[in-house]
């Protein structure tokens, strides 16, 4: 069917084993439990002969070398062009170390090789195989869950804190895909946030974006992925 958008959506659990290092606070924070599972959520979109992929992964960071490695593997396995593949990290600090960063820790290469990349590839493959014609709806609103974290002191020094009167981007966008029978296939949520409300806890969690995703899935019936904006 010409001039028709096709979309497939799939989700794969990518939670590490308990005992893995939690990335984002210090090199010594170890997971002692699971509050909620981490996911890789893949959207495959096709219009005419163009196929593209958008993946939301519940980890803190994906650097360029890791992203390029994953994109090459997806291109090889699913025959989707490298340049048409986008990877996004939700930026939970209560997830595994997928990259190395000074003062935070080293990448868990075993996890990256055996769980993270494998989970993303499976989610993409399943989404690709489930594509169906859809209609698209878009809504834009404002959310003040986020807050500027730079508090300026009288000495003009900046510290971490909450500064609600400082600049922030409250815009939240939701893109929803429904099949031709009216059933919700999937939703994308885009919002600029630093997903660290859980603090330096000792459990794996997607943090607050995960609970928002769960709620939208419950209300709409469609798989939902959170795509972060500027997170700093």
């Amino acid at each position: 069917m010409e001039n028709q958008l096709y979309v497939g959506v799939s989700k794969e659990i990518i939670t590490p084993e308990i005992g893995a290092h939690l990335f984002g606070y210090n090199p010594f924070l170890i997971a002692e439990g699971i509050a909620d599972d981490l996911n890789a959520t893949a959207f495959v979109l096709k219009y005419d002969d163009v196929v593209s992929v958008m993946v939301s992964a519940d980890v803190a960071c994906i650097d360029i070398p890791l992203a390029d490695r994953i994109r090459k593997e997806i291109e090889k396995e699913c025959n989707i062009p490298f340049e048409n593949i986008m990877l996004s990290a939700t930026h939970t600090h209560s997830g595994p170390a997928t990259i190395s960063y000074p003062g935070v820790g080293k990448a868990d290469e075993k996890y990256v090789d055996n769980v993270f990349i494998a989970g993303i590839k499976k989610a993409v493959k399943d989404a690709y195989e489930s594509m169906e014609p859809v209609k698209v709806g878009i809504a834009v609103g404002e959310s003040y869950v986020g807050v500027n974290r730079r508090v300026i002191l009288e000495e003009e020094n900046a510290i971490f804190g909450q500064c609600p009167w400082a600049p922030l981007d409250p815009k939240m966008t939701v893109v929803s895909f429904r099949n031709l029978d009216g059933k919700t296939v999937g939703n994308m949520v885009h919002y600029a946030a630093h997903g660290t409300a859980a603090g330096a806890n000792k459990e794996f969690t997607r943090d607050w974006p995960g609970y928002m995703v769960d709620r939208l899935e419950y209300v709409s019936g469609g798989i939902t992925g959170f795509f972060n904006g500027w997170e700093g």
Side-chain angles (χ1 to χ4, degrees):
M1 188 184 301
E2 294 183 358
N3 300 319
Q4 173 64 57
L5 176 66
Y6 290 76
V7 170
V9 189
S10 184
K11 180 180 295 185
E12 191 70 18
I13 294 174
I14 54 170
T15 310
E17 294 182 359
I18 294 173
H21 168 228
L22 289 165
F23 182 86
Y25 293 102
N26 64 68
F28 311 107
L29 192 61
I30 303 300
E32 298 179 355
I34 300 172
D36 52 286
D37 276 314
L38 311 181
N39 299 309
T41 306
F43 294 76
V44 177
L45 305 94
K46 180 178 182 294
Y47 187 81
D48 290 339
D49 295 328
V50 179
V51 180
S52 58
V53 175
M54 296 177 66
V55 176
S56 172
D58 293 316
V59 295
C61 300
I62 305 173
D63 61 13
I64 292 175
L66 177 57
D68 287 351
R69 177 184 169 190
I70 297 171
R71 293 163 74 195
K72 288 177 182 177
E73 294 201 23
I74 293 173
E75 180 180 48
K76 181 179 179 181
E77 186 160 318
C78 298
N79 197 30
I80 298 172
F82 176 90
E83 61 272 18
N84 292 0
I85 302 167
M86 188 192 84
L87 304 172
S88 175
T90 62
H91 202 72
T92 175
H93 280 205
S94 300
T98 51
I99 68 169
S100 298
Y101 196 82
V104 178
K106 295 183 178 180
D108 186 339
E109 298 294 348
K110 182 179 178 181
Y111 168 80
V112 170
D113 292 341
N114 299 327
V115 179
F116 185 61
I117 296 179
I120 290 177
K121 287 167 58 178
K122 186 175 188 308
V124 171
K125 184 178 180 181
D126 290 346
Y128 182 87
E129 294 175 350
S130 70
M131 281 191 296
E132 57 183 315
V134 298
K135 296 181 179 180
V136 184
I138 301 174
V140 180
E142 292 187 348
S143 172
Y144 289 88
V145 171
V147 65
N148 192 303
R149 305 192 308 160
R150 299 297 188 269
V151 178
I152 307 301
L153 304 178
E154 290 183 3
E155 302 82 12
E156 297 188 353
N157 295 322
I159 61 172
F160 280 128
Q162 295 186 4
C163 193
W165 54 86
L168 62 88
D169 182 4
K171 182 181 294 185
M172 179 177 285
T173 303
V174 178
V175 181
S176 186
F177 304 100
R178 292 183 179 179
N179 66 19
L180 302 188
D181 293 327
K183 178 182 177 181
T184 302
V185 174
N187 309 291
M188 296 178 175
V189 180
H190 180 258
Y191 185 64
H194 205 117
T196 57
N201 67 302
K202 296 183 179 180
E203 295 180 313
F204 291 119
T205 175
R206 294 165 296 155
D207 216 291
W208 72 263
Y211 290 93
M212 177 183 62
V213 162
D214 289 347
R215 183 60 183 171
L216 185 51
E217 287 186 345
Y218 175 79
V219 171
S220 70
I223 295 174
T224 301
F226 176 74
F227 290 87
N228 212 340
W230 292 103
E231 66 198 24

